[in-house]
Amino acid sequence: MLNFINYRIKLIDGNYQTLRTDGLADTKRRIDMAVGDSLSMDEYKLTLASAEKTVPLDPNLVLPKPTSDLETAKADLKRAGYAILTDVFPEEVVRTARQVLADEIKREEAIDQSRVSKFFVDPDAKNRRLNRLPDRHEVFRQILEHPVVLELTKHILGPTVLNESYLVHSVDANVTRPGSGAQFIHLDASNGVGHATPNQSRFIWCLDEFAEENGATRVVPGSHLWNPEIDPSGATTYESVPAEAPAGSLIIYTDMLLHGTGANISENRERASINFGITTPWCRPSINFPLVLDPEVMKDTSQTLRQLLGYSSVMNGGDYPWESAPESIRSLCVPPTIAY
């Protein structure tokens, strides 16, 4: 029998709370509730008032384990909807990224703590998130064009029109601190439910060990095959498991997998990650990187990275020159045809 952790929503003392229920021990623990990505708190509470349906885990589904074999990871991804790939990055690169992340968050907090906390996808002010990563250090640029990331993106998304480059949909950092609540189980879907194939390859680079205690991302194994049956309203509870992984691992999934940040119930263990997605060129990324990133930082970057970050005026064969853009941005434009 699987020993799963189940998150259920109940009305307690006039407030909605997420309850953690251990499948074997049937014990409960209060955890602060997170807001769904597409719902306000008020809308979410109204929806949950009549929530009764629970979708259980499939007890016959073999859960992925950390592996250094790329083909095994691809098989895990196909079967369970996610995979955990180890030995992708050298330890010194992981340490560098973790230290830079800590330093940058500290710097932003000194200016205004709200710049790195209280994001609408988080349940409380304890979590820390950091954006504009490609501007901050080369290690965050390198990960976006890592050969393994690019190979997996091609494997997940397939060929593009006229062999035009994929686009980074979004990239940010998430640091789950002790006491931080669980995020609502959700999809990273660009267009919600109803599509039969992924629009994004999704990656979580674990800068710390991911354990259930410190808020490892929770996943709903096999849910990548459920569209369009998935209920995105919050009225359905989906049983989930933690994607536990060693520091430095890459958790791979798609925008069709239900998942969410777990609650950090540890006393002193942070859980940091770099989260990013890559989409097809005909989908609009979440971030318009040419208008967000510093041209001085980008001018010495590779053609591959610029293609991925959208520095091309061509889409599906049509050229729309950036005539009104500053020269510093226009000069960064590259051809759209995949160079990787």
Side-chain angles (χ1 to χ4, degrees):
M1 181 183 294
L2 290 171
N3 184 7
F4 60 82
I5 303 297
N6 181 27
Y7 289 97
R8 299 177 184 274
I9 310 298
K10 296 294 181 183
L11 183 63
I12 301 175
D13 300 329
N15 295 306
Y16 282 90
Q17 300 282 343
T18 303
L19 297 180
R20 172 179 149 168
T21 304
D22 290 359
L24 293 181
D26 195 32
T27 59
K28 295 181 175 67
R29 184 194 310 270
R30 287 193 188 187
I31 300 173
D32 292 339
M33 186 180 69
V35 180
D37 281 2
S38 59
L39 299 173
S40 70
M41 179 62 78
D42 289 340
E43 291 171 328
Y44 189 58
K45 287 180 178 179
L46 289 172
T47 301
L48 290 172
S50 59
E52 295 294 336
K53 182 178 179 181
T54 297
V55 178
L57 292 171
D58 179 357
N60 298 313
L61 184 62
V62 178
L63 301 181
K65 296 180 179 179
T67 178
S68 60
D69 182 71
L70 186 58
E71 294 308 311
T72 299
K74 290 178 180 178
D76 288 342
L77 185 64
K78 180 179 181 180
R79 183 187 73 258
Y82 71 101
I84 303 169
L85 190 62
T86 61
D87 301 333
V88 179
F89 308 98
E91 289 184 9
E92 60 269 24
V93 173
V94 179
R95 287 195 298 268
T96 296
R98 186 64 178 93
Q99 187 60 56
V100 171
L101 178 58
D103 292 344
E104 288 293 297
I105 288 176
K106 185 176 181 179
R107 184 170 69 85
E108 294 286 358
E109 286 177 327
I111 300 171
D112 183 352
Q113 184 171 304
S114 67
R115 294 170 65 154
V116 290
S117 68
K118 298 182 180 179
F119 283 70
F120 80 99
V121 296
D122 294 326
D124 49 53
K126 295 175 182 176
N127 243 37
R128 292 291 182 266
R129 292 186 182 264
L130 190 69
N131 57 23
R132 291 182 19 258
L133 296 184
D135 264 358
R136 297 178 187 273
H137 197 278
E138 63 179 350
V139 70
F140 301 130
R141 299 190 289 272
Q142 292 169 352
I143 185 178
L144 298 176
E145 55 179 338
H146 192 285
V148 170
V149 167
L150 299 181
E151 179 177 345
L152 285 166
T153 294
K154 291 177 181 179
H155 172 74
I156 291 168
L157 299 181
T160 64
V161 175
L162 301 177
N163 199 32
E164 291 182 4
S165 177
Y166 307 97
L167 300 173
V168 175
H169 183 269
S170 61
V171 55
D172 63 16
N174 179 14
V175 180
T176 301
R177 293 179 168 178
S180 184
Q183 185 186 34
F184 180 64
I185 295 293
H186 64 281
L187 296 170
D188 287 338
S190 304
N191 59 348
V193 298
H195 55 107
T197 57
N199 284 328
Q200 288 186 60
S201 57
R202 297 289 309 179
F203 303 92
I204 300 173
W205 183 21
C206 307
L207 300 186
D208 295 317
E209 178 190 15
F210 269 40
E212 182 167 25
E213 183 186 49
N214 71 345
T217 298
R218 303 194 66 83
V219 296
V220 181
S223 60
H224 65 305
L225 302 175
W226 296 352
N227 277 6
E229 288 79 16
I230 288 175
D231 175 11
S233 71
T236 301
T237 299
Y238 293 92
E239 292 179 351
S240 61
V241 297
E244 296 186 310
S249 301
L250 197 63
I251 299 175
I252 308 140
Y253 63 108
T254 74
D255 58 336
M256 300 184 62
L257 183 79
L258 287 166
H259 68 286
T261 302
N264 189 333
I265 60 174
S266 72
E267 293 184 0
N268 56 11
R269 297 173 62 191
E270 291 190 344
R271 191 233 72 179
S273 64
I274 307 301
N275 310 323
F276 61 103
I278 300 178
T279 190
T280 52
W282 53 86
C283 289
R284 180 179 178 178
S286 217
I287 302 169
N288 190 339
F289 288 102
L291 296 184
V292 171
L293 300 179
D294 184 351
E296 286 299 308
V297 172
M298 291 299 301
K299 69 180 183 181
D300 294 324
T301 57
S302 69
Q303 178 171 307
T304 292
L305 184 63
R306 284 191 236 173
Q307 286 183 335
L308 290 167
L309 291 174
Y311 287 87
S312 176
S313 61
V314 178
M315 197 275 286
N316 288 347
D319 190 2
Y320 303 88
W322 297 359
E323 294 178 352
S324 60
E327 173 60 25
S328 59
I329 294 178
R330 289 202 312 272
S331 64
L332 295 173
C333 279
V334 293
T337 305
I338 289 177
Y340 45 89

